[in-house]
Each structure stands twice: as C-alpha cells, then as structure tokens.
C-alpha cells in the first residue's frame, strides 16, 4: 500500500463510515420492526431517540461520502506519476481490478445517500414521521453497497504495486478498443450533442414551469435524473474532446489537472448536484398524497428544482463556453 496522507484519510474514513452505517442499519431494522407512534411505551421512546441519533450519524456519513468521492479521484490523479504508463487517474485506477469498481460504487453511493438525506429531511418536517419505515428500508438497501465499496477501496489501495505497468487513458478510452469506456468514447458526437443539449433545455423548461405553476415536477425530476448518466456519456463522447482539442482524446479524468484549470471538478460537482436534486424530487412524488406531507413535499421539491436548475445550468454554460471560445471543430470526426 502507498502511504499517502490522503490514502490514509480515505481508508480511515471508509472504516468510520462503515461502522456508522452498520450501527445505523442495526437500529434502522429495529425501528422498522417496532415503530408505533401511537404507543407511549419505553421501547417507542427509545426508538424515537435513536432515530435522531441515526439521522445525525447518516448526515455526517453521507456528507463524508460525497467529499471522499472527490478526494478519491484527486488521489488517483495525483498518484499517476508513480506508475509507468499512467498519465492521469484513468491509468492509476487501471493498476488493478478494484479501481474502477470502487469509483463507480462511490458515485452510486453518493447518489443513493443524497436521496436518503432528502427523504430524511422531508420526514423530519412532519410531526407523524410518515416516511420513517421507507427511509430506513432504503438505508438497509444502501448498506451492502457501502460495505462493498469499503471492501473494494481497501482492496484497491492494498494491492497498488508501483512496479506495475498500466494503460494510459489514450488506450482505455480509445474508439478502437473494446469495453465500456471505449464504447462510450465511440458514441457519435453529433447525436450525443443533440441529446445532451436537448435534455438541458427540457430540464430548464420543465423546471421553470414547475416553479411558476406548481405542476410538471415529474417531467423535471425524470429528465434531470436521466440526464445524469446521459451527461456522463456526453462527457466522454464529446465534452472532454473540446477541452483537449484533440478528436481522439476522450478521457474524463485529464480535465481534473492544472493545465485544464481543474474544470473537471466543476463538471463533476454540477453533475452530482443536479443528479441528486432531480432524483430526490422524483422520489418524493409518490409521497405528496400523505396528509402530513401535502404542503411539505411541494415546498421541498421546489427547493430541489431550484438547486437542480442551477447545477445543470452551470454545467451547460461551462460546456457551451468551451465550444464557443475555441477554434477546435469536432464536426467530421
């Protein structure tokens, strides 16, 4: 294992989050099994106290989860100098078989954790906690993914060998290779541009309509959620190419480096923020009919819609500005 301060922080943090999530899952199961708000028993009072503790623990755990994603990609990029053949995080993550599963799991858990926090916040606004069982059921679903991610993260860093010759991003994200990365890189640029900017326009129109009229939240939420994977594909297909001004360079990690003014971090933040806000608004749709949430859910959905609009608007502006203020033309490649 490479004794890098950030690596130690990541591994220590993952263990701490694992312990917190295991503790929360234990009490989550007990709450699902025994919650009865009409009861004044000692057990019910204990469960009510525990739900506040669990909510606080999960807020910190999922908050660290989001930060650890960015720390992980930063560390992967920073360590590329130690491996022959690596030019960025793409090569570092390819040193062993645990790197890419770890980063994908981290991204998935960030989205699931964000949705859980939205459910938890909404539930805490109502006096009768109508979402108590649903949010802890979701927590039990998240637990295996988080624990699996912890295992992958430890396996990745423990199996980093400096003498390993890895592949550079040019070969991993090459249209001539096989695999998921190469498949995304080979997606035709023109159709992907239409899909990407079309989704951004639909998100803006449906979000503004919902904020103005109070209707159409489902269109905004579904479009915003689906725009997340679409934007990831667009990033590899054509967005990154405009930053590199090289039609064969599709790497989503080189844009994290200084020569590109670290714009990759801004793109990642906007993608994650827009995805979480949209998915959270979508999750709340089925709970609008609950009597105690009738006024609460629309208010929270409007906050999420505003956040989603801002995140996706920033993403679209960053992409458009790069495409406009460059002499590079992708048409024909």
């Amino acid at each position: 294992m490479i004794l890098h301060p950030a690596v130690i922080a990541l591994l220590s943090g993952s263990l701490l989050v694992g312990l917190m999530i295991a503790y929360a899952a234990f009490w989550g199961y007990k709450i699902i099994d025994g919650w009865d708000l009409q009861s004044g028993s000692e057990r019910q009072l204990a469960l009510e106290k525990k739900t506040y503790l669990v909510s606080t623990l999960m807020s910190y755990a999922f908050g660290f989860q989001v930060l650890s994603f960015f720390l992980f990609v930063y560390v992967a990029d920073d360590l590329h100098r130690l491996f022959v053949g690596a030019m960025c995080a793409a090569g570092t993550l390819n040193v062993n078989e645990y790197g890419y599963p770890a980063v994908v799991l981290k991204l998935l858990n960030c989205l699931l954790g964000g949705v859980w926090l939205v459910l938890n916040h909404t539930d805490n606004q109502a006096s009768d906690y109508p979402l108590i069982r649903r949010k802890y059921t979701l927590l039990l679903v998240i637990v295996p993914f988080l624990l699996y991610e912890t295992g992958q993260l430890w396996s990745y860093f423990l199996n980093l060998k400096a003498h390993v010759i890895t592949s550079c991003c040019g070969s991993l994200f090459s249209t001539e290779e096989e695999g998921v990365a190469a498949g995304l890189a080979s997606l035709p640029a023109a159709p992907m541009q239409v899909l990407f900017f079309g989704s951004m326009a639909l998100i803006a129109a449906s979000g503004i309509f919902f904020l103005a009229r109070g209707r159409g939240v489902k269109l905004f939420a579904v479009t915003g959620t689906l725009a997340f994977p679409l934007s990831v594909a667009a990033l590899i297909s054509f967005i990154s190419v405009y930053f590199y001004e090289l039609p064969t360079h599709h790497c989503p990690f080189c844009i994290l480096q200084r020569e590109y003014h670290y714009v990759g971090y801004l793109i990642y933040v906007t993608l994650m923020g827009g995805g979480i806000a949209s998915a959270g608004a979508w999750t709340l749709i089925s709970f609008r009919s609950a009597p105690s949430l009738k006024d609460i859910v629309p208010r929270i959905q409007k906050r999420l819609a505003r956040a989603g609009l801002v995140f996706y608007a920033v993403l679209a502006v960053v992409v458009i500005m790069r495409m406009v203020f460059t002499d590079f033309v992708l048409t024909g490649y």
Side-chain angles (χ1 to χ4, degrees):
M1 182 181 75
I2 297 173
L3 296 179
H4 188 289
V7 172
I8 297 173
L10 277 169
L11 294 179
S12 302
S14 68
L15 279 181
L16 182 59
V17 169
L19 291 173
M20 293 168 69
I21 198 76
Y23 178 83
F26 172 77
W27 282 106
Y29 176 79
K30 285 185 170 292
I31 290 171
I32 292 172
D33 181 60
W35 185 266
D36 182 8
L37 197 60
Q38 303 304 317
S39 172
S41 65
E42 184 177 346
R43 181 189 184 190
Q44 175 62 21
L45 293 176
L47 291 178
E48 290 179 14
K49 292 179 181 178
K50 287 297 181 182
T51 192
Y52 287 111
L53 175 61
V54 170
S55 295
T56 302
L57 286 176
M58 289 300 93
S59 296
Y60 284 109
F62 289 134
F64 175 80
Q65 188 67 24
V66 173
L67 293 176
S68 70
F69 170 78
F70 293 98
L71 181 59
F72 184 42
V73 294
Y74 166 77
V75 170
D77 184 65
D78 188 56
L79 294 179
H80 81 270
R81 298 185 298 267
L82 303 179
F83 301 99
V84 177
M87 298 177 62
C88 64
T92 309
L93 293 172
N94 198 50
V95 169
N96 57 51
E97 66 269 30
Y98 306 106
Y100 279 101
V103 76
V104 171
L105 282 166
K106 271 196 169 295
L107 186 58
L108 174 64
N109 288 329
C110 285
L111 293 174
L112 291 175
V115 171
W116 191 89
L117 290 176
V118 169
L119 276 181
N120 181 61
H121 175 73
T122 305
D123 187 51
N124 289 339
Q125 302 304 302
S127 58
D128 58 344
Y129 303 103
L131 306 181
I132 193 79
R133 284 188 168 86
R134 291 178 176 87
K135 71 180 184 183
Y136 284 116
T137 299
L138 176 59
L139 181 61
L140 294 180
V141 172
I142 298 174
V143 168
F145 291 102
L146 270 173
L147 295 180
Y148 186 43
E149 176 208 311
T150 300
Q152 291 293 107
L153 189 68
W154 274 81
S155 298
Y156 171 68
F157 283 119
L158 289 175
N159 288 281
L160 280 181
K161 309 297 181 183
H163 65 273
V164 173
I165 299 177
T166 185
S167 300
C168 70
C169 54
S171 61
L172 290 171
F173 292 90
S174 171
T175 57
E176 299 177 356
E177 297 293 327
E178 296 182 356
V180 176
L184 292 173
S186 63
L187 291 172
M192 288 303 299
Q193 290 178 17
V194 172
L195 288 173
F196 174 75
F197 289 114
S199 67
M200 293 298 109
L202 187 56
I203 288 170
S206 59
I208 293 172
F209 181 81
F210 169 61
L211 292 176
R213 301 292 182 88
R215 304 193 307 272
V217 65
K218 188 172 183 178
L219 179 59
F220 164 80
V222 173
T223 305
T225 303
L226 296 179
F228 178 83
L230 173 62
S231 298
V232 172
L235 174 62
I236 298 172
S237 173
F238 77 91
I239 294 174
S240 59
V241 175
Y242 274 97
F243 284 95
Y244 307 134
E245 298 185 346
L246 188 63
T248 58
H249 196 180
H250 296 267
C251 178
F253 296 110
C254 286
I255 53 175
L256 299 171
Q257 297 177 350
R258 179 185 298 176
E259 53 263 45
Y260 302 106
H261 308 289
Y262 308 106
V263 70
Y265 290 103
L266 177 59
I267 291 175
Y268 286 12
V269 167
T270 55
L271 271 174
M272 187 176 295
I276 290 175
S278 303
W282 191 358
T283 305
L284 293 179
I285 290 175
S286 59
F287 306 125
R288 297 185 71 165
S289 59
S292 59
L293 296 176
K294 185 173 58 175
D295 298 323
I296 295 173
V297 167
R299 185 170 68 246
I300 294 177
Q301 284 180 320
K302 286 188 175 182
R303 293 177 186 171
L304 292 170
R306 292 189 191 98
L309 283 173
V310 170
F311 282 119
Y312 279 128
V314 172
L315 173 62
V317 168
V318 169
V319 175
I320 291 171
M321 287 184 64
R322 183 58 186 178
M323 293 177 69
V324 170
F325 295 104
T326 180
D327 296 327
F328 176 75
V329 178
L330 187 58
T331 305
Y333 290 103

